Amino acid sequence: MLPALPRSVPFPKKRADILLAAGLGISFYIFGYVGNLLNLIEGSVGLVWPPTGLALGVLLLFSSNLWPGIVLGGFFVNLLVWGRPPLVGLAVATGATVGVLCGYMLLRRVGFRVQLDRMRDLIALVALGAVAGMTITSTVRVGTLTLAGLVPADRFWTTWWLDELSSIMGVIIVTPVVLLASRLRRLPRPRPRRVVEAVAVLGTAFVVMFVATHTRSELLFLIFPVLIWAALRFQVNGAAPCVLLVSLLAVYGAVIGSGPFEGQETSSKVITIQAFEVATALTSLVLAVTTIERNRAHGEVKRAADGLASVVAQLSRSLGQRLAPPAAGEAADRTSEERRVIREQIPSPRDYRADPDTPYLANPLHGDTSTTPENG
């Protein structure tokens, strides 16, 4: 049964909700400040806009009551980081909140699970939470900036497209990491070997990306074996943090213009980074979710086989207990009957001695001969 959608967006009333909303607002501002450092075009969002992914993930983990934190965090990002007028900042923050809320409600409508252990959940996160929800956010944001004269009208679609891609990648990259909090409490205590392997995966990803973003040769593709390693061995728990680390390092390399991004134009950098982020994120997450579904199917088949074997063994024991006594009795009766028939059909030597007209040695038990007791 699908969860019912609220008729209206509630306002936080409990103390815990108020504290969580305040924490979301502060985190939104911090993530917005970091996102502003990762931009190539002054006055616009960065190549990855982490606050949208953070906000959507927090709402999915808790509730839609925390929406005031998105409004406050977005307002202060526009006011303090970008220096926009208060009314413009409030309008942009409201648009971001509406987009995140729409994405949240669409995901709730289709029965999205925060464990992100089904392919349908990953598809819903990309299609509904990222594309559909962030389209509303980008349209309101860029439309407001255009009406306020902060974005030229002839650059509306270019700015909107960059804003849309940045917000979408923020959801795809950051939201899975935020949703990991729903699994941390249920994870068993890891073995030391697994901890060492996890650290090795992240360390290898960092080293490979550092080398790839500081070398003029095109070496970004070398990160894919590491992402496959993380997805196969740790599923979403390892793939999501690895994708976030790789994306941030790639974006940082594009911003400072190092390695393969040296001398590239801004448009070329944007295309390269967005294509790289989409390829790495979707490849790793799809492989991770597919591995989870395969392991789950294997476990279900194994449990079904074990259950069937148990039922067959129990049925065999039950049938053995029911059929063994009659079978033994029947075999004994058959043996007695055979012995009786033999006694009736084959006379004993005592019977031959009693009848002198019967040749004693002609008995089949003694061989066929014409010698009689009298002749002998």
Side-chain angles (χ1 to χ4, degrees):
M1 182 177 180
L2 297 178
L5 295 178
R7 295 182 179 179
S8 59
V9 180
F11 193 85
K13 297 179 180 180
K14 298 181 180 180
R15 182 179 180 180
D17 290 343
I18 295 175
L19 293 177
L20 286 174
L24 175 59
I26 296 173
S27 301
F28 194 98
Y29 175 81
I30 295 174
F31 276 57
Y33 180 82
V34 174
N36 181 61
L37 299 177
L38 302 176
N39 63 352
L40 295 174
I41 303 175
E42 185 178 357
S44 65
V45 298
L47 293 173
V48 177
W49 189 236
T52 55
L54 170 70
L56 181 60
V58 171
L59 293 190
L60 289 172
L61 285 180
F62 297 98
S63 69
S64 58
N65 295 1
L66 308 182
W67 64 267
I70 305 175
V71 177
L72 293 176
F75 174 75
F76 284 109
V77 167
N78 283 272
L79 187 66
L80 301 179
V81 176
W82 286 327
R84 293 167 179 170
L87 291 180
V88 174
L90 182 61
V92 171
T94 302
T97 305
V98 171
V100 172
L101 282 174
C102 288
Y104 163 81
M105 292 183 177
L106 289 174
L107 291 175
R108 288 286 304 274
R109 182 65 180 175
V110 299
F112 177 82
R113 296 198 314 195
V114 296
Q115 290 81 7
L116 203 62
D117 56 355
R118 302 177 300 177
M119 188 58 64
R120 57 174 295 184
D121 295 327
L122 179 60
I123 295 174
L125 179 64
V126 175
L128 302 178
V131 177
M134 296 306 105
T135 297
I136 299 174
T137 296
S138 299
T139 301
V140 174
R141 179 187 292 135
V142 179
T144 301
L145 296 178
T146 303
L147 293 177
L150 300 178
V151 173
D154 58 347
R155 293 185 56 188
F156 173 84
W157 290 111
T158 302
T159 306
W160 180 89
W161 181 247
L162 177 61
D163 189 283
E164 174 78 358
L165 291 178
S166 302
S167 300
I168 289 175
M169 294 313 303
V171 171
I172 296 176
I173 293 173
V174 178
T175 301
V177 178
V178 177
L179 295 180
L180 288 179
S182 66
R183 296 190 290 272
L184 292 179
R185 293 177 296 179
R186 294 189 294 270
L187 288 178
R189 185 176 181 179
R191 294 173 296 178
R193 184 165 36 181
R194 293 283 288 177
V195 175
V196 172
E197 185 179 2
V199 173
V201 170
L202 293 177
T204 304
F206 179 84
V207 172
V208 171
M209 286 303 301
F210 182 83
V211 173
T213 54
H214 289 78
T215 305
R216 293 297 302 271
S217 302
E218 298 289 343
L219 299 178
L220 292 175
F221 65 91
L222 293 177
I223 197 59
F224 282 96
V226 183
L227 295 176
I228 294 173
W229 178 16
L232 292 179
R233 293 291 295 162
F234 299 96
Q235 289 80 57
V236 177
N237 296 337
C242 200
V243 167
L244 177 61
L245 175 64
V246 168
S247 299
L248 292 179
L249 291 175
V251 171
Y252 179 74
V255 170
I256 64 176
S258 63
F261 305 104
E262 184 177 351
Q264 285 190 5
E265 298 181 354
T266 300
S267 58
S268 179
K269 291 181 181 180
V270 171
I271 294 174
T272 302
I273 286 298
Q274 297 295 350
F276 177 77
E277 289 177 346
V278 170
T280 54
L282 294 184
T283 299
S284 185
L285 293 177
V286 167
L287 183 58
V289 175
T290 302
T291 304
I292 293 176
E293 291 184 337
R294 183 202 63 185
N295 293 341
R296 185 190 301 120
H298 178 75
E300 292 176 355
V301 171
K302 184 178 180 181
R303 286 192 295 270
D306 293 341
L308 181 60
S310 177
V311 171
V312 171
Q314 184 177 0
L315 182 61
S316 178
R317 289 193 299 269
S318 177
L319 292 176
Q321 293 174 357
R322 294 181 180 181
L323 297 179
E330 183 180 354
D333 295 340
R334 185 180 303 170
T335 303
S336 300
E337 182 68 17
E338 291 176 352
R339 290 176 180 175
R340 185 182 63 81
V341 171
I342 291 174
R343 285 196 302 266
E344 290 179 353
Q345 295 181 354
I346 305 177
S348 64
R350 185 180 306 170
D351 296 332
Y352 287 102
R353 293 190 185 97
D355 187 4
D357 296 331
T358 302
Y360 172 72
L361 296 178
N363 193 313
L365 297 177
H366 298 84
D368 188 8
T369 179
S370 59
T371 304
T372 63
E374 296 177 357
N375 297 329

